[in-house]
């Protein structure tokens, strides 16, 4: 109680010396205190929707506005609680020392009575105030404890990729809150500093006015008004900070972090060579890398790359190193610089969904600790345009397709300048089919529309870097560094030879395989795979790359057939846990092959597995529970799963001979930094393939060539449609100028033999006009006269103007492949005339992806059996799209069919049956068995249909005839 009175005396003493200086008691919190590390950013358009949870009080509306939230109420009036504290102080000064105990009791009673009268309990932890309002309860403390909780609307604003991490932070904060709540009691605790003032309608004014109160002069009124405005401004800021409570130690750490970020920001903006604590970043970043990834020191090449003049000057950069060289860490540091110091958003483009999810998992903890958002743009995830944050910045991690959509939405909304850095992993994919064309379009638009956005590209397999440098206007850095030495071997019969570029034929003899084979084993394992893997497992890990998915399963079973039972004892409990988890995610089902191989530490890995199954197996392999994976080549470009030894079952991917780039990616998985001292790769070959393999290991990497024109409907035509739709270029000369700056424009002399770039541009525009996607309005002659022109006449001396049509805008908004946009339009128009709503089959057919229809031919007997089980309404839906039961029955029985039906329609309806069955049964395993298809394919079909249905939705919204 002495401490309580002592603190009251100090505050009253300050009040008596200079009443307006009470503002020092209620000092405005510092910026670091108002914005702790886990404060959630709000959308600008939803800024006023936050609510502070209280008891008996209406939520405060529109907290982000600057309007007066407190009315004319002034809690510092003469009849207020603090005024009564002043009177208490005066009485206390007049009391003799021997009546101190009675005074303490009186003070205690006054505290309790005042709180009871005002129905308010105010508690402050650090610089944040928790308002607790309500009627006086029967608690001994005399007031009701109410904790501030994070509402559902707060978690809604958090990217889904970070909800799990934020939940952990929230739990720890709640634990602290519970502990501190127990310590709050008005009768025993000292009176805390008040940081916030209550609304007028939530507080009852005391009915009696102190007779000793004096009349305030005009100067007093002005001072009070000024003080009130100051307090309201401070409390408005506090109202915006919807945060749980923190310890003072954590606040000091966050303040230090904020100061270091400011210092680093000033360092980056200046021309000084001083890089600050950690490459212009706060020292906390270095500590987090030690904590989360165990990285204590950078490699020498990483330090050199980060200190390049081109990097310091924010020039575009391409860098290339062997697999496992540590390329990603450099990119992450550059991204953190952009997010924390330059306060710009960052986009990271990765080739596959699995890699995006892996990177999300690795960086979300950094986002929580350092105060930025990590947002996933892969599969069905991602918002276009992205949420515009007021303060915290976002790291967008996206696949190639989603990254393109994100850039389009930022250009359309005029926010492309908010993107400070774009990082592209596996840059060599710019030369791989339609996905490469999409990546090229994304980078070309960035270069054309934003001069402030830096582009960083990295890859382990680049050859013609000069072309990429010219396209990206970038500097180039390369190194042959590898943290673990890689030894390459070739196996021919029983001999193992080491790859040696100095040798005459490119290899030198190393050793003979010494493994006793029985006659049975020789027949089943002619390539000696069992001998090669048992040299490594179970103490070390091994990857076996196989040409096909079926071969993966066969090899896994064959190896397990000849492994001794001793292998089952290695981490036996953990293996049983893996089997249990696989059953749990598959509704009790388990692949019979995995059931036999996992107890021995072996599993197969390919796209026939569901994504959940692959993830579980990858985790088990990474932790050493599984020691051997038989896999397809896609694993080499997928998630990071290194091994002590990598074995290539054959120099083929499916039926195609291995490319140098593919070979380098596969063998790059050999050798785990910090675990292995050396990595080994062994390529098994037959005598007939010997010369091709020798050429493979000696030739340079394949060149990277643009596919922008080769993938016409997904490439150049889609590009031109988006250029006009986004108003980046709307006339012929601007479009041609844009094309000259693309990767294709750089390589036009190599790629164009018969036609010029101008002719290619004109032909593509003519195609779009014929399709009804673009419309050519007028031309401007050199003399300045406007005149109409024929549809197909394009002359170089004229300036043509284009605008996008309704169909073109719908196709652009829905990201529909231009090869199918007119088909989709006809299907939707036909559906609009006679849509069958008695079942969902017709709607499912309309959202079944076109491009998957010709990838797999149907099983006609299964098709006929499914068709015969349809209800009359479902058969009507099938007839409406042009497929009858009679047609399917004849196909199943092998009879001749006179009436021709579009094969794509028939195949698409078959896929619709799979989706329709999946909708009714919900179990992928049952549907997989019913249609005799891999469960991974069924899941991929479901994902593709979900994505395409979103595309159809945007198509219909943009084309008003199909929207409500």
């Amino acid at each position: 109680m002495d401490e309580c009175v002592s603190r009251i005396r100090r505050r009253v003493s300050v009040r008596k010396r200079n009443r307006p200086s009470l503002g020092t008691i209620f000092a405005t919190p510092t910026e670091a205190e108002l914005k702790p590390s886990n404060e959630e950013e709000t959308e600008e358009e939803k800024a006023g929707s936050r609510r502070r949870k209280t008891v008996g009080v209406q939520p405060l509306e529109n907290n982000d506005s600057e309007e007066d939230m407190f009315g004319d109420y002034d809690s510092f009036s003469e009849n207020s609680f603090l005024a009564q504290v002043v009177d208490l102080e005066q009485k206390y000064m007049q009391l003799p020392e021997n009546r101190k105990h009675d005074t303490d009791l009186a003070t205690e009673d006054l505290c309790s009575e005042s709180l009871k009268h005002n129905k308010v309990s105010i508690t402050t932890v650090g610089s944040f105030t928790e308002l607790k309002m309500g009627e006086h309860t029967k608690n001994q403390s005399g007031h009701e404890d109410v904790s501030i909780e994070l509402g559902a609307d707060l978690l809604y604003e958090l990217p889904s990729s970070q909800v799990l991490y934020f939940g952990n932070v929230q739990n720890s904060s709640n634990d602290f809150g519970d502990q501190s709540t127990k310590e709050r009691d008005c009768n025993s605790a000292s009176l805390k500093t008040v940081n916030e003032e209550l609304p007028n309608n939530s507080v009852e004014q005391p009915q009696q006015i102190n007779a000793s109160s004096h009349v305030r002069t005009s100067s007093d009124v002005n001072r009070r008004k000024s003080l009130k405005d100051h307090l309201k401004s401070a409390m408005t800021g506090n109202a915006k900070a919807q945060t749980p409570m923190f310890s003072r130690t954590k606040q000091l750490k966050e303040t230090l972090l904020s100061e270091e970020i400011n210092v680093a920001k000033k360092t980056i903006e200046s021309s000084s060579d001083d890089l600050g604590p950690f490459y212009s970043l706060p020292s906390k970043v270095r500590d987090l890398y030690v904590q989360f990834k165990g990285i204590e020191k950078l490699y020498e090449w990483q330090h050199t790359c980060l200190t390049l003049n081109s990097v310091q000057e924010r020039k575009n950069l391409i860098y290339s190193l062997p697999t496992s060289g540590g390329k990603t860490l450099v990119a992450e540091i550059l991204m953190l610089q952009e997010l924390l110091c330059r306060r710009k958003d960052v986009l990271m483009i990765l080739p596959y969904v699995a890699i995006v999810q892996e990177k999300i998992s690795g960086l979300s903890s950094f986002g929580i600790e350092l105060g930025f958002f990590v947002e996933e743009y892969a599969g069905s995830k991602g918002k276009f345009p992205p949420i515009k944050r007021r303060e915290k910045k976002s790291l967008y991690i996206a696949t190639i397709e989603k990254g393109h959509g994100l850039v389009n939405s930022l250009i359309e909304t005029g926010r492309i300048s908010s993107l400070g850095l774009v990082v592209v992993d596996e840059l060599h994919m710019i030369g791989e089919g339609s996905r490469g064309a999409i990546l090229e379009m994304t980078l070309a638009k960035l270069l054309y529309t934003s001069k402030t956005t830096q582009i960083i590209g990295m890859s382990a397999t680049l050859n013609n870097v000069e072309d990429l440098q010219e396209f990206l206007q970038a500097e180039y850095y390369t190194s042959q560094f590898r943290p673990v030495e890689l030894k390459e071997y070739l196996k021919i019969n029983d001999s193992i030879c080491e790859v040696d570029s100095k040798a005459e034929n490119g290899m030198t003899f190393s050793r003979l395989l010494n493994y006793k084979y029985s006659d049975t084993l020789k027949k089943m394992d002619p390539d000696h795979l069992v001998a090669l893997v048992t040299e490594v497992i179970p103490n070390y890990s091994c990857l076996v790359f196989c040409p096909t998915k079926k071969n993966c399963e066969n090899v896994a079973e064959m190896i397990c057939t000849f492994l001794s039972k001793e292998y089952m004892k290695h981490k036996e409990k953990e293996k049983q846990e893996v089997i249990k988890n696989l059953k749990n995610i598959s509704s009790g089902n388990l692949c019979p092959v995995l059931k036999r191989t996992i107890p021995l530490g072996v599993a197969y890995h390919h796209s026939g597995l569901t994504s959940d199954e692959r993830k579980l197996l990858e985790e088990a392999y990474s932790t050493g529970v599984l020691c051997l994976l038989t896999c397809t080549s896609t694993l080499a470009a997928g998630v990071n799963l290194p091994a002590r030894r990598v074995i290539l079952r054959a120099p083929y991917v499916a039926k195609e001979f291995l490319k140098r780039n593919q070979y380098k990616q596969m063998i790059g998985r050999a050798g785990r930094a910090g675990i292995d001292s050396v990595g080994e790769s062994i390529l098994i070959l037959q005598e007939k393939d010997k010369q091709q393999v020798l050429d493979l290991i000696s030739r340079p990497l394949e060149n990277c060539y643009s596919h922008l024109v080769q993938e016409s409907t997904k490439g150049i035509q889609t590009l031109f449609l988006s250029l006009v739709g986004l108003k980046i270029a709307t006339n012929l000369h601007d479009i041609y100028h844009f094309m000259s700056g693309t990767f294709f424009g750089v390589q036009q002399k190599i790629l164009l033999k018969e036609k010029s770039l101008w002719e290619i541009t004109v032909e593509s525009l003519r195609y779009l006009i014929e399709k009804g996607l673009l419309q050519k309005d007028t031309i401007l002659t050199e003399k300045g006269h406007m005149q109409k022109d024929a549809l197909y006449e394009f002359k170089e001396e004229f300036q043509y103007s284009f605008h996008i049509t309704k169909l073109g805008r719908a196709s652009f908004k829905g990201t529909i492949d231009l090869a199918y946009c007119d088909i989709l339009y006809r299907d939707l128009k036909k559906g609009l005339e006679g849509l069958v709503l008695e079942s969902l089959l017709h709607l499912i057919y309309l959202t079944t992806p076109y491009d998957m229809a010709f990838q797999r031919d149907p099983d006609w007997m299964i098709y006929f059996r499914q068709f015969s089980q349809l209800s009359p309404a479902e058969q009507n839906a099938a007839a409406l799209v042009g497929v009858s039961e009679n047609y399917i029955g004849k196909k199943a029985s092998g009879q001749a069919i006179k009436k021709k039906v579009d094969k794509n329609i028939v195949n698409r309806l078959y896929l619709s049956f799979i989706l329709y069955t999946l909708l009714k049964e919900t179990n992928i395993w049952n549907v997989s068995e019913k249609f005799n298809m891999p469960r991974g394919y069924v899941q991929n079909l479901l994902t593709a249909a979900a994505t395409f249905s979103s595309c159809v939705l945007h198509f219909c919204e943009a084309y008003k005839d199909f929207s409500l």
Side-chain angles (χ1 to χ4, degrees), residues 124-147:
T124 303
V125 177
S127 62
F128 295 95
T129 303
E130 180 178 0
L131 300 181
K132 300 178 179 180
M133 312 203 51
E135 296 184 1
H136 180 63
T137 64
K138 296 180 181 180
N139 295 341
Q140 291 181 356
S141 61
H143 66 277
E144 181 177 353
D145 284 336
V146 182
S147 62

Side-chain angles (χ1 to χ4, degrees), residues 67 103 149 262 315 385 389 400 433 463 470 602 642 673-674 802 953:
E67 67 177 288
T103 305
E149 298 180 0
N262 291 334
K315 293 181 180 179
R389 312 287 182 181
I400 293 173
N463 190 27
E470 185 179 349
V602 181
F802 302 95
L953 172 64

